[in-house]
Amino acid sequence: MFSRLGRFVVRFPWLVIAAWAIAIVAVVATAPKLTATTDQSDFLPSHYESIQAAKLQQQAFPNSNTPAALIVFERSDGAPMTDADSTAVTAAATKLSERNIKDVTGIQAVPPAQNRAVEVVAVQMTKVTSANDTHQSDAVKSLRDALKEQVNGTDLKAGITGTAAQTLDQQDSSTKGLIIIGVATVVLILVLLLLIFRSPIIALLPILVIFIAVSPLASGLIAIASNTFDLKIDSSVQSLLVVVLFGVGTDYILFLMFRFRERLRAGEDAKTAVVSAVTRVGEAITSAAAAVIIAFGALTLSTLGMFRSMGIALAIAVAVALLAGLTLIPAIVSLLGTKVFWPSKAWQVEPTGARFAAVGGALGKRPGLFAVASGGVLIALGVFAFGFNPTFDLSSGSTSGSSESVVYGKELLKGMPAGSTQPSQVYLRSEHGALSADELNAFGAALHVHGVGEVGPQPALSADKTVAEYQVTLSDKPESDAALKTVKGPLRDAAHAAAPVGTSAVVGGMTSVFVDFQHAMNRDYTVVFPVAAILIMIVLALLLRSVVAPWYLMASVFLGFAATLGSAVLVFQHLQGDSGLIFTLPLIMYLFVVALGTDYNILMVARLREEAREGHDPHRAAALALRHTGPTVAAAGVILAGTFASMMLAGNDTLSQMGFAISVGIAIAAFVMAMFFTPAVTALIGRRAWWPGHGGDAEQQQSQWDTEWTPSDVVSDARR
């Protein structure tokens, strides 16, 4: 099949390029705009209590008085607020109200904190109706401009925090992060490809193809899918999308170009070499991409909308990158021929270095030592994974620590309960008519449980007085472990138990959303992980025609996942002192490490099988596979790990943790699993690794390896 595809592409390159151009124009012209949401409640199913509370709020309190933003005032010298300062704050609130800022529906000064460290002005705004709604963000911008005038020349300083301000800062951080990630990724790929091939044409080829063809086509298809299936795209998905398109796309192009160069050195002409490259590496690339697509596709089984949309988006991106690697790139290379390597002439001569040959020779002679050493590294790092603690701090985690909402969110805690930035709401709903004063008072009193800082003195009532809304401020930060424990246990239990006969109670707010997220994530771990593993094992079994190899290959990938999570825990929790890692990290990391780790395993094992079929015994096959495929895996691993590492430059904890974990996972997959552990274990298992297939039927005696073969027989260098 791949041979026929290669011949077709080489015979009709302009037809292939024209087909891509038509597809790009058609998709881009018809695709809706791809937008992201920062509202975490958008991702939960409707049966969760936090979502039921949100729906009840929309029905009963369409003009809820819950502040969208909080203006925090404090003295510039850090001293307690004086009566004169409080008067100035009240005057400032009045002047801001008189400005009639668009979409600001109310501004109200709140009495100073008991210790007079800060004073707060609550701001109500027009409710957000969709992910594209920028009313609140625009209002925050206007408020910040007006606020500077009010504190200028006074002893006070002030800043805006709260939900609307955090959303604005997250959007700004995401935009800046995308630019940084995009630039860093492109520069890294250019530099590495220049070092590897010493040709500006090859260095620019992946960048231009991905930027001009792959990215717009994939983004358009993702937007169409999101619109068709009503998927919510999380802001972090767009950052991942940039890295996946450039990183994975470059990897697939790199796999093809290394094999193309190898066939040229074997004496084939350029067009024949392109056909041979597609024929020989097409199955491995397609199988590798299938593993990635299946892993991401398994996310559609998640109960969380953010993961379902992420899975579909990234699966589409990888599929388009694969299609480009098998059709568009071969078409362009067949037209350029050997000019693609200009001005370098190194492609004409086999390198004379012996780095990978020497390593391959050592592994072939002592596979047991390499298996134990590489496996030991994975296990040692994996031990730290047991210390993983999830954190739900998505607000500050998705924003720069210097952003105004984060800075003044911390300042607010000097004088207010930690939950002030995002209070929880408890709703009491009557099925028998208006709620009585006794019912309201008794229910409100029951909400004063351990972990609750304060309960609003008077609940808000719906127009028909059948629904009451209680503002509950937690003693701990809304995203903290302690706050989640309070809502999940004492607060929900007390609310449900205290609801009078004929009424029902639900707890809402962001902390309640996080509690439900935690429950949904635990469920997803038990479904997505095994399904992805089983489907990838099926792909491996079909590729290798073996029921043995998939088991130890997946075992190595799981060890790699544990080592990656352990590395992240070691760096961020133990060395950096963070309270935990972002709660979505294990699932995202699992899929990337399993899928992309399997990529490199597939490439290595496919070459192992190829060498075994050519008559080499298992030890020599492992050495030759490392000689031929080691440079490809190393180069691809460096590029892909580097592109994900660029996420650490975005300036927020979420992307930093994600970028670090995935880049480390890819490095482990390439340089520990695929390069050492997998070939060493395969050499130890021998021909049985291919059972019941016939990949290892051609066998030589072990003594022949020991007496006749030396590393100099298969010389190579790192640029190979």
Side-chain angles (χ1 to χ4, degrees):
M1 181 182 78
F2 292 102
S3 176
R4 290 194 297 271
L5 176 63
R7 288 195 297 271
F8 176 84
V9 169
V10 169
R11 186 177 180 185
F12 304 106
W14 288 111
L15 178 62
V16 172
I17 294 171
W20 268 88
I22 293 170
I24 292 166
V25 172
V27 169
V28 171
T30 58
K33 183 180 179 182
L34 183 62
T35 57
T37 179
T38 57
D39 184 356
Q40 302 303 319
S41 63
D42 283 345
F43 304 121
L44 279 168
S46 59
H47 66 271
Y48 281 103
E49 183 169 336
S50 60
I51 304 305
Q52 293 174 355
K55 290 182 177 180
L56 182 58
Q57 181 193 48
Q58 293 171 0
Q59 295 168 2
F61 304 96
N63 299 312
S64 175
N65 291 325
T66 303
L70 300 173
I71 306 176
V72 182
F73 288 84
E74 61 182 334
R75 286 186 60 86
S76 301
D77 58 9
M81 300 280 286
T82 64
D83 291 341
D85 293 331
S86 296
T87 301
V89 169
T90 302
T94 301
K95 290 179 181 179
L96 288 173
S97 183
E98 291 172 352
R99 296 284 290 266
N100 294 320
I101 296 173
K102 186 179 180 182
D103 295 309
V104 173
T105 59
I107 297 179
Q108 179 65 49
V110 177
Q114 196 168 25
N115 63 1
R116 303 189 73 88
V118 296
E119 188 164 345
V120 175
V121 172
V123 182
Q124 282 81 37
M125 296 180 179
T126 304
K127 292 181 71 67
V128 173
T129 57
S130 70
N132 300 322
D133 191 337
T134 62
H135 290 147
Q136 289 191 356
S137 296
D138 293 339
V140 171
K141 292 178 184 178
S142 300
L143 266 177
R144 283 177 172 171
D145 292 337
L147 184 60
K148 292 176 183 177
E149 299 176 14
Q150 300 305 316
V151 297
N152 189 31
T154 71
D155 294 330
L156 300 175
K157 62 179 182 178
I160 302 177
T161 187
T163 306
Q166 289 168 349
T167 299
L168 172 62
D169 290 340
Q170 286 174 30
Q171 291 169 345
D172 289 344
S173 178
S174 177
T175 300
K176 293 176 183 176
L178 275 174
I179 295 172
I180 293 171
I181 290 169
V183 171
T185 297
V186 169
V187 170
L188 179 70
I189 290 173
L190 281 172
V191 170
L192 290 176
L193 289 182
L194 279 172
L195 290 174
I196 293 168
F197 290 101
R198 301 187 179 183
S199 165
I201 297 177
I202 290 185
L204 287 169
L205 184 61
I207 302 297
L208 294 176
V209 168
I210 293 168
F211 183 76
I212 296 173
V214 177
S215 182
L217 183 60
S219 297
L221 292 174
I222 292 168
I224 292 172
S226 299
N227 187 62
T228 302
F229 299 105
D230 192 28
L231 299 173
K232 305 292 185 181
I233 299 294
D234 178 55
S235 56
S236 64
V237 173
Q238 293 183 318
S239 300
L240 283 173
L241 192 59
V242 170
V243 176
V244 166
L245 284 173
F246 280 96
V248 175
T250 301
D251 263 12
Y252 293 159
I253 294 170
L254 202 63
F255 294 163
L256 189 76
M257 293 307 299
F258 267 101
R259 189 56 73 101
F260 172 62
R261 188 175 66 177
E262 182 181 321
R263 299 316 304 164
L264 287 174
R265 287 171 175 166
E268 295 179 354
D269 64 85
K271 292 187 180 298
T272 303
V274 171
V275 176
S276 297
V278 174
T279 301
R280 289 173 178 254
V281 85
E283 184 179 23
I285 292 178
T286 303
S287 299
V292 178
I293 292 169
I294 285 171
F296 291 150
L299 284 175
T300 57
L301 301 175
S302 171
T303 56
L304 297 172
M306 66 182 297
F307 286 124
R308 290 198 300 274
S309 60
M310 177 187 292
I312 291 176
L314 297 182
I316 290 173
V318 172
V320 175
L322 170 67
L323 188 61
L326 292 177
T327 59
L328 184 57
I329 291 295
I332 295 173
V333 173
S334 71
L335 292 172
L336 293 174
T338 57
K339 295 185 183 68
V340 75
F341 296 107
W342 180 88
S344 174
K345 302 292 185 182
W347 63 270
Q348 298 175 345
V349 182
E350 189 78 14
T352 57
R355 293 181 182 89
F356 285 95
V359 174
L363 185 145
K365 287 181 177 294
R366 299 177 181 84
L369 176 62
F370 276 80
V372 171
S374 55
V377 170
L378 297 177
I379 292 172
L381 290 173
V383 170
F384 289 98
F386 291 102
F388 168 71
N389 181 54
T391 177
F392 291 80
D393 190 0
L394 297 178
S395 298
S396 60
S398 300
T399 311
S400 168
S402 60
S403 64
E404 187 172 317
S405 62
V406 173
V407 171
Y408 279 90
K410 294 177 180 177
E411 295 300 306
L412 178 66
L413 302 184
K414 291 180 179 179
M416 299 290 182
S420 299
T421 53
Q422 292 180 329
S424 294
Q425 293 81 40
V426 180
Y427 296 93
L428 181 64
R429 182 174 189 171
S430 172
E431 306 292 342
H432 57 68
L435 291 161
S436 68
D438 289 342
E439 289 176 325
L440 294 173
N441 292 334
F443 184 78
L447 299 179
H448 290 273
V449 297
H450 179 72
V452 169
E454 61 184 35
V455 178
Q458 293 294 329
L461 291 175
S462 61
D464 59 4
K465 297 184 179 181
T466 61
V467 180
E469 178 188 67
Y470 294 81
Q471 294 291 332
V472 177
T473 303
L474 302 176
S475 302
D476 304 286
K477 293 178 65 176
E479 68 279 355
S480 66
D481 292 342
L484 268 66
K485 186 176 180 180
T486 296
V487 170
K488 181 165 54 177
L491 185 56
R492 281 186 175 178
D493 291 345
H496 299 161
V501 177
T503 68
S504 59
V506 289
V507 179
M510 192 52 65
T511 305
S512 186
V513 170
F514 292 154
V515 168
D516 292 337
F517 255 118
Q518 194 175 54
H519 182 272
M521 287 292 298
N522 291 335
R523 177 265 177 196
D524 287 350
Y525 289 147
T526 63
V527 175
V528 176
F529 279 24
V531 168
I534 291 170
L535 292 177
I536 291 174
M537 285 186 69
I538 293 173
V539 170
L540 290 171
L542 292 174
L543 170 68
L544 302 174
R545 283 78 168 173
S546 167
V547 296
V548 176
W551 287 99
Y552 69 82
L553 291 178
M554 287 306 298
S556 74
V557 170
F558 281 124
L559 282 175
F561 165 73
T564 304
L565 182 57
S567 299
V569 170
L570 175 63
V571 169
F572 289 101
Q573 291 184 209
H574 292 282
L575 299 181
Q576 192 168 299
D578 292 351
S579 61
L581 299 171
I582 197 70
F583 74 101
T584 58
L585 187 62
L587 189 55
I588 294 173
M589 191 183 66
Y590 171 82
L591 293 169
F592 274 99
V593 173
V594 168
L596 298 175
T598 303
D599 259 19
Y600 300 134
N601 268 343
I602 285 175
L603 202 65
M604 182 62 73
V605 175
R607 190 60 185 244
L608 273 163
R609 185 186 62 174
E610 185 178 324
E611 298 297 343
R613 284 178 168 177
E614 291 182 4
H616 301 294
D617 69 77
H619 289 238
R620 185 171 185 179
L624 291 172
L626 185 53
R627 171 214 173 186
H628 289 295
T629 308
T632 308
V633 170
V638 168
I639 288 176
L640 193 57
T643 54
F644 276 103
S646 68
M647 295 172 68
M648 298 172 67
L649 303 175
N652 66 68
D653 290 344
T654 299
L655 292 180
S656 292
Q657 292 180 9
M658 205 176 292
F660 174 85
I662 296 174
S663 61
V664 167
I666 291 168
I668 289 173
F671 294 99
V672 180
M673 287 162 29
M675 203 168 294
F676 298 125
F677 189 78
T678 294
V681 172
T682 303
L684 289 172
I685 295 175
R687 291 184 302 128
R688 294 183 296 275
W690 314 112
W691 184 87
H694 303 286
D697 278 357
E699 181 183 16
Q700 296 180 354
Q701 296 299 318
Q702 180 63 31
S703 60
Q704 187 177 6
W705 161 266
D706 291 330
T707 58
E708 296 181 9
W709 188 89
T710 65
S712 61
D713 292 326
V714 286
V715 292
S716 173
D717 75 357
R719 292 197 307 272
R720 228 191 142 282

